[in-house]
Amino acid sequence: MVEIEIDGKKVEVQEGSMVMDAANKLGTYIPHFCYHKKLSIAANCRMCLVEVEKAPKPLPACATPVNAGMIVRTASDKAVKAQKGVMEFLLINHPLDCPICDQGGECQLQDLAVGYGGSSSRYQEEKRVVEPKDVGPLISMKEMNRCIHCTRCVRFGQEVAGVMELGMLGRGEHSEITTFVGKTVDSELSGNMIDLCPVGALTSKPFRYSARTWELSRRKSVSPHDSVGANLIVQVKNGKVMRVLPFENEEVNECWISDKDRFAYEALDSEQRLTKPMLKQDGKWQEVDWQTALEYVAHGLRNIRHEHGADAIAALGTPYSTLEELSLLQKIVRGVGSENIDFRLRQSDFGLDGQIKPWLGMSIVEFSQLNRVFVIGSFLRKDHPLLSARLRQSAKSGAKVSVLHATDDDLLMPVANKIIAAPSAWLSALAEVAVAVAEAKGVAAPSAYAGVTASDAAKATAASLLSGDAKGVFLGNAAVQHPQAAQLHAAAQWIAEQTGAKLGVLTEGGNAVGGYLANAVPAAGKAAAVFAQPRKAYLLLNAEPELDSYDPQAASAALKQADMVVVMSAFKHGADYADVLLPIAPFTETSGTFVNTEGRAQSFNGTVKPAGDARPGWKVLRVLGNLLELENFEYETSESIRDELLGKETDLSARLNNLASVQLRAVSTAAAEVERVADVPIYFADPIARRSAPLLETRDGQAPRAWLSAALASKLGVAEGDQVKVKQGSGSAALTAAIDKKLPENVVRVAAAHASTAALGGMFGAIVVEKA
């Protein structure tokens, strides 16, 4: 540690840190633009010049390392004169357009110009003009005249998002920030550049010109979109959500959020909002009041139980529903005597039911400190953008990441070992890694894997996991959705135990862990048959089975034959199979709790009033419970439901468990001739994101294509851009073909969760592709 003095106060800081870090530790503010605690040092705005004793001229605080006994003055005449001089230069070319600038009122340049700017300018020449750029539907670069070249956006792309989408061209007054020729900004974290921009050069396109910062009231919330549970600030004007920003929480999302968290709110006022309860009578939809709708549902459930038995009733939630909603949903289903309740619609193998309550297996902070990581079956960047960003930082600092997957997507980070194999070969690939671990350690390999020989890639992965001290083996969404999920889990568990690694599951949605804690799962051995054995009544909570389930064909068939389907949703959907539509509030309009992947319970309140006649889901379910005359449905608040489930705990990791006892089975190598791997595209994963207009205009929001390997494409005589017919089960889809040279030869990548592929069968398995 080194002791220095700043403005007469002594402070101790780590050797090698900068004067700025010491000032931050003391709480002394030094004006700055380009410095940011999460980015590398650029020292190109010069606003943070301070006087250092014995130095001939002022030095930048962000780039001056501390020395023992150093004396710094941040507000001496010499320092202030230097800072004012820099400010004069910064304002030379800056347009005087604060009255129409979206950043007005929250602009660092504005704030500092008050303290350090002159009242008039000595500069009389023409100001420079910079061409506006079009970089996509999320970020506006219309007023690049305002840019002060702090390069925060460039550094963010390079260092945090992992892809350098913006850069600087030209020199002197001709320098400007721009994208590569004709490219848009497509990173799933790009919106953070808007927050980082200290002037109004990068602004939010959807929010542009819609409100002033001082007209907005701010409310804290939690994102339902992915497993991190990012903390949000929801900004509201006149009862409408206008903007969503990150709320800094170092242990969860640092100061970042993904674009899905940031821009999905645009769906909340879409045309598709359901605002009144509706009943279908004689094939026509009619608006009714809540009393009528709920009595109709209660009456229908009683009749079906009477005629077909309680087992004919099923309820399906999603990991985007709150803990409270899922808890009441399972209480209603069990109250009428049925076990058919689930929220894991995309799962197909339930062999581990009753044994595990999957979670990350460690805290998010611990996850970012691992130095050996093995990720199995995960579209990491798109499924878990913020966890991926943390892993990228670790990989840049020397952590070794190994991957087993069916697609070789660019993870934007150094990957030490890759095993790219068809989904049907994942289990044998894990068996090879297990055998390699056993060989390297000199222990017996599992008897089920006798006769398996390890490939070089498996040996390298095993060697990587056996070195290092902080290690993790993680199962991604695709591994959990895989038809052999239980065996994959068991193999991963064996590898983790033998290498001293922790086993984790990268859970899906904002509340998958909460779904287990709410017990919204069937008793062991009862799962999987909710659609395979069609029921007579279905209650759907925030679920769109044709997009959210493993096998949309089976889901659609089951729903169409049912006597009663009740859709509880914030949006209108399911008109062809539903009998009742009940408008329930999305996360911005209700109070509730999400439990993130590390087992952290985060409660939030509604930020605006529910739209129209919509009501919070837990209230609707409570009243339905009362109408069905079930016991223990006297809740007055969502907090009382939460406290009954969780008590006063917020860290629930003690209740979670990834370890199962499953008999490892011999690996069979029978593979389909051509098989499918299905990703869930980032902006189609949940009901809110898939209706957000700006997100659907991005590259990730385009309709899915059929990705073929080069070998398969030439065998079928298909070129990039041709139309192909994809058949699976009893349905088919017409898609545009695209070629991915890195795909395994017999694998076709066709995304799930989109209307154009909803006629296909399971997310994995045999698939037929023909040229159209």
Side-chain angles (χ1 to χ4, degrees):
M1 299 293 273
V2 176
E3 186 177 81
I4 72 167
E5 184 185 299
I6 298 183
D7 294 342
K9 295 179 193 158
K10 288 197 163 38
V11 62
E12 273 198 356
V13 285
Q14 205 70 40
E15 201 170 343
S17 39
M18 302 294 157
V19 171
M20 186 71 96
D21 303 323
N24 287 344
K25 195 170 174 181
L26 272 179
T28 301
Y29 180 73
I30 300 176
H32 59 270
F33 293 111
C34 68
Y35 168 82
H36 189 277
K37 63 183 177 190
K38 293 281 180 192
L39 303 177
S40 63
I41 293 163
N44 55 7
C45 76
R46 298 325 243 193
M47 192 65 214
C48 63
L49 292 174
V50 291
E51 184 183 352
V52 177
E53 201 164 88
K54 298 201 178 87
K57 56 185 183 184
L59 299 175
C62 70
T64 304
V66 294
N67 288 319
M70 186 187 242
I71 296 174
V72 178
R73 299 186 187 89
T74 65
S76 66
D77 292 348
K78 191 172 178 182
V80 172
K81 188 179 174 198
Q83 291 159 354
K84 287 189 167 175
V86 169
M87 179 57 80
E88 185 173 19
F89 276 120
L90 285 178
L91 293 177
I92 275 181
N93 275 311
H94 200 78
L96 293 174
D97 57 358
C98 299
I100 62 141
C101 176
D102 248 8
Q103 196 92 342
E106 50 186 10
C107 170
Q108 260 176 287
L109 188 67
Q110 236 181 11
D111 296 345
L112 293 181
V114 173
Y116 300 93
S119 53
S120 60
S121 173
R122 296 185 281 173
Y123 183 79
Q124 300 302 326
E125 286 70 24
E126 292 218 345
K127 292 185 183 258
R128 71 183 194 131
V129 176
V130 182
E131 275 302 291
K133 324 270 186 301
D134 183 11
V135 293
L138 306 179
I139 298 177
S140 168
M141 290 178 81
K142 276 279 199 300
E143 285 89 9
M144 289 308 287
N145 297 339
R146 300 172 185 156
C147 177
I148 60 167
H149 302 155
C150 69
T151 67
R152 277 182 177 185
C153 54
V154 179
R155 284 175 288 146
F156 172 81
Q158 263 177 311
E159 294 161 20
V160 180
V163 51
M164 185 173 168
E165 294 180 297
L166 296 178
M168 196 185 280
L169 279 183
R171 301 187 64 175
E173 69 163 12
H174 300 295
S175 41
E176 54 183 274
I177 300 280
T178 181
T179 57
F180 293 98
V181 186
K183 287 273 173 58
T184 53
V185 171
D186 295 313
S187 159
E188 58 282 356
L189 299 171
S190 67
N192 292 298
M193 294 178 185
I194 300 167
D195 296 342
L196 286 173
C197 184
V199 294
L202 304 181
T203 51
S204 161
K205 228 179 209 176
F207 172 70
R208 204 171 142 79
Y209 295 151
S210 59
R212 281 306 204 173
T213 171
W214 54 85
E215 303 171 319
L216 301 170
S217 50
R218 291 156 175 74
R219 317 254 196 286
K220 279 172 68 174
S221 191
V222 177
S223 164
H225 300 294
D226 65 35
S227 59
V228 170
N231 291 198
L232 310 177
I233 296 173
V234 177
Q235 301 192 331
V236 175
K237 177 185 173 185
N238 298 339
K240 183 180 166 188
V241 175
M242 302 302 285
R243 184 163 66 160
V244 172
L245 298 175
F247 180 80
E248 190 172 337
N249 184 339
E250 202 51 43
E251 293 175 356
V252 179
N253 55 310
E254 301 174 270
C255 50
W256 316 124
I257 52 174
S258 70
D259 289 356
K260 180 156 65 164
D261 300 332
R262 185 183 300 269
F263 296 108
Y265 74 88
E266 284 282 310
L268 298 174
D269 294 300
S270 77
E271 315 277 271
Q272 299 176 38
R273 268 308 289 270
L274 179 63
T275 53
K276 290 235 178 349
M278 297 174 87
L279 290 182
K280 190 193 269 179
Q281 282 165 332
D282 306 328
K284 292 207 175 69
W285 284 102
Q286 294 183 350
E287 291 182 359
V288 293
D289 58 42
W290 271 107
Q291 188 73 19
T292 310
L294 287 172
E295 278 173 358
Y296 179 90
V297 173
H299 183 69
L301 288 175
R302 278 201 200 92
N303 278 357
I304 286 164
R305 181 173 61 179
H306 179 68
E307 287 171 28
H308 304 280
D311 197 46
I313 297 171
L316 299 170
T318 58
Y320 308 100
S321 311
T322 65
L323 180 76
E324 292 81 355
E325 290 165 355
L326 290 171
S327 173
L328 293 191
L329 186 68
Q330 65 89 20
K331 277 184 83 167
I332 285 177
V333 173
R334 293 195 161 103
V336 296
S338 167
E339 265 297 322
N340 302 318
I341 165 78
D342 215 336
F343 69 93
R344 307 160 300 173
L345 303 190
R346 292 197 179 107
Q347 204 165 313
S348 57
D349 174 8
F350 298 91
L352 296 174
D353 271 18
Q355 293 197 48
I356 61 167
K357 289 185 175 166
W359 68 300
L360 188 60
M362 61 191 73
S363 71
I364 291 173
V365 172
E366 222 178 314
F367 175 82
S368 57
Q369 292 161 351
L370 297 174
N371 53 30
R372 296 290 181 273
V373 177
F374 184 24
V375 180
I376 301 161
S378 175
F379 296 91
L380 193 62
R381 263 179 66 196
K382 305 299 179 187
D383 289 346
H384 310 282
L386 294 172
L387 288 178
S388 176
R390 281 188 184 254
L391 195 53
R392 180 176 307 117
Q393 297 305 325
S394 309
K396 280 165 52 182
S397 321
K400 298 273 185 285
V401 179
S402 308
V403 172
L404 163 61
H405 201 32
T407 64
D408 189 3
D409 293 351
D410 184 1
L411 295 178
L412 305 176
M413 67 177 94
V415 176
N417 308 293
K418 276 183 198 166
I419 304 173
I420 304 299
S424 59
W426 285 2
L427 195 50
S428 58
L430 279 184
E432 286 179 28
V433 176
V435 168
V437 167
E439 274 173 20
K441 277 188 75 178
V443 298
S447 55
Y449 300 158
V452 173
T453 49
S455 65
D456 291 346
K459 284 177 182 163
T461 302
S464 169
L465 276 175
L466 284 163
S467 63
D469 48 8
K471 303 177 262 199
V473 175
F474 296 96
L475 294 156
N477 292 2
V480 173
Q481 293 153 358
H482 196 284
Q484 297 169 302
Q487 281 296 309
L488 290 175
H489 188 111
Q493 185 176 320
W494 192 90
I495 293 167
E497 282 166 357
Q498 293 299 321
T499 56
K502 285 190 171 176
L503 178 67
V505 179
L506 303 169
T507 53
E508 184 187 0
N511 196 32
V513 177
Y516 281 95
L517 293 171
N519 197 23
V521 287
K526 293 273 185 151
V530 179
F531 288 133
Q533 295 171 9
R535 312 289 163 174
K536 288 295 171 195
Y538 284 99
L539 294 172
L540 305 179
L541 175 70
N542 289 322
E544 301 175 47
E546 65 278 20
L547 301 176
D548 292 335
S549 45
Y550 176 81
D551 184 348
Q553 278 176 12
S556 298
L559 291 167
K560 286 187 172 126
Q561 63 75 47
D563 290 352
M564 183 171 82
V565 177
V566 181
V567 168
M568 291 180 270
S569 171
F571 301 99
K572 290 177 191 158
H573 64 84
D576 49 343
Y577 55 72
D579 301 278
V580 189
L581 299 179
L582 302 179
I584 64 168
F587 78 104
T588 49
E589 299 169 15
T590 178
S591 57
T593 305
F594 292 133
V595 184
N596 74 357
T597 186
E598 63 175 352
R600 178 191 295 256
Q602 302 187 101
S603 295
F604 54 92
N605 290 316
T607 52
V608 290
K609 283 200 176 80
D613 281 347
R615 292 289 175 268
W618 69 268
K619 287 189 176 176
V620 174
L621 292 164
R622 183 201 63 198
V623 175
L624 185 56
N626 292 339
L627 290 172
L628 289 165
E629 293 167 14
L630 302 177
E631 287 174 20
N632 300 337
F633 270 82
E634 286 75 55
Y635 304 106
E636 292 295 315
T637 61
S638 64
E639 286 79 14
S640 54
I641 309 172
R642 176 196 68 197
D643 293 346
E644 180 181 282
L645 278 170
L646 308 182
K648 292 286 172 226
E649 289 175 82
T650 51
D651 176 12
L652 302 160
S653 54
R655 298 194 193 183
L656 306 170
N657 162 45
N658 288 328
L659 303 179
S661 54
V662 176
Q663 193 64 44
L664 287 168
R665 289 204 291 270
V667 179
S668 70
T669 49
E673 198 170 307
V674 178
E675 56 182 288
R676 175 182 182 187
V677 61
D679 57 319
V680 177
I682 181 169
Y683 301 142
F684 297 115
D686 64 88
I688 301 178
R690 63 173 75 112
R691 290 175 173 83
S692 165
L695 291 180
L696 296 186
E697 288 168 26
T698 61
R699 196 170 71 184
D700 283 324
Q702 301 310 305
R705 295 192 281 176
W707 290 91
L708 315 174
S709 65
L712 184 61
S714 67
K715 188 170 149 191
L716 297 170
V718 171
E720 179 105 20
D722 286 358
Q723 288 296 304
V724 290
K725 188 175 183 187
V726 180
K727 291 189 205 158
Q728 199 185 9
S730 58
S732 67
L735 299 171
T736 306
I739 292 169
D740 179 352
K741 294 194 173 83
K742 294 177 174 177
L743 271 179
E745 196 168 318
N746 63 329
V747 171
V748 180
R749 176 176 176 172
V750 179
H754 190 271
S756 64
T757 58
L760 299 174
M763 292 170 70
F764 296 92
I767 192 167
V768 179
V769 182
E770 308 166 343
K771 193 168 175 178

